[in-house]
Amino acid sequence: MSNKDRKPFIVFEGLDGSGLTTHAFDLHRWLKERGYEVYLTKEPTDGVLGGLIRSALKGELKVSARTLALLFAADRTQHTETIKRLINSGVVVISDRYKLSSYAYQSIEVDLDWLRKINEGALTPDVTFVIDVPPAVCMRRLQKERFHTELYEDMETLERVRENYRRLAEEEENVIIIDGNRPQDVVNREIFQKIKELELLEGL
Ligand code: TMP
């Protein structure tokens, strides 16, 4: 297969309540409307490992910070196989969270170099959009939408994760910060424009 057939792997990142899931969905729909085959996916996945992670996030399963980091990495290892297969067979893959989430969240308690090591087999996405929204706005949205609180969903943690994302955007490849504190259609237009400018897809 020629390299021309390989389609991009696009990732959305951000704080809980930043709207990253909405923007990932909107890009997926926009590309589909333009005739591309698109697979929208997320981490933690819906698989068995993703289920374990969800239990840990809800506090039902007690695990250490390092164990949780390994669970995310294991879930990602399996997920990466699927992503590779799809992009190599002509499908655009959009993931709601990927390895930058591990670096931004788990590095609060766990050494970042070790996190990079256990995620060594993960892909470098063609582009990662970090949807940047002030933690206070995210918290208000989460309080409206949820009846329970998960791990990481407090102001102090969200502030730290935001700082981590900003630093990682400088350190990691192909990361773009998008101001997500604007109307949904304005944010979407900027994302669509970036996708065009990056020339990741022929014919856009
Ligand atoms: P979600 O609410 O966007 O589905 O994500 C679940 C939570 O898991 C969210 O707080 C971010 C966190 N997370 C990590 O801490 N590390 C990771 O590697 C991933 C994928 C998510």
Side-chain angles (χ1 to χ4, degrees), residues 28-143:
H28 142 270
R29 194 177 46 196
W30 187 75
L31 288 174
K32 271 195 151 172
E33 282 166 5
R34 276 150 190 81
Y36 296 95
E37 206 180 329
V38 191
Y39 180 73
L40 180 62
T41 182
K42 69 180 168 71
E43 289 189 6
T45 66
D46 289 330
V48 177
L49 291 167
L52 280 178
I53 293 169
R54 297 237 164 253
S55 303
L57 292 173
K58 286 191 207 132
E60 294 161 3
L61 177 72
K62 305 278 176 223
V63 291
S64 71
R66 281 171 77 86
T67 305
L68 183 58
L70 286 165
L71 284 176
F72 277 119
D75 189 37
R76 182 162 305 123
T77 303
Q78 207 164 346
H79 193 205
T80 298
E81 296 305 316
T82 309
I83 297 167
K84 276 188 192 162
R85 188 169 40 76
L86 287 167
I87 56 177
N88 287 328
S89 62
V91 181
V92 180
V93 176
I94 301 177
S95 187
D96 170 335
R97 299 192 180 281
Y98 194 63
K99 65 179 177 183
L100 222 61
S101 280
S102 280
Y103 299 173
Y105 283 79
Q106 274 65 66
S107 72
I108 289 179
E109 291 176 280
V110 178
D111 178 57
L112 181 58
D113 286 337
W114 182 72
L115 290 169
R116 286 199 164 109
K117 207 167 173 52
I118 62 171
N119 282 282
E120 223 162 52
L123 296 167
T124 298
D126 294 280
V127 61
T128 297
F129 292 110
V130 176
I131 308 299
D132 184 56
V133 173
V137 176
C138 294
M139 279 304 286
R140 271 202 298 280
R141 289 185 189 160
L142 288 172
Q143 280 158 359

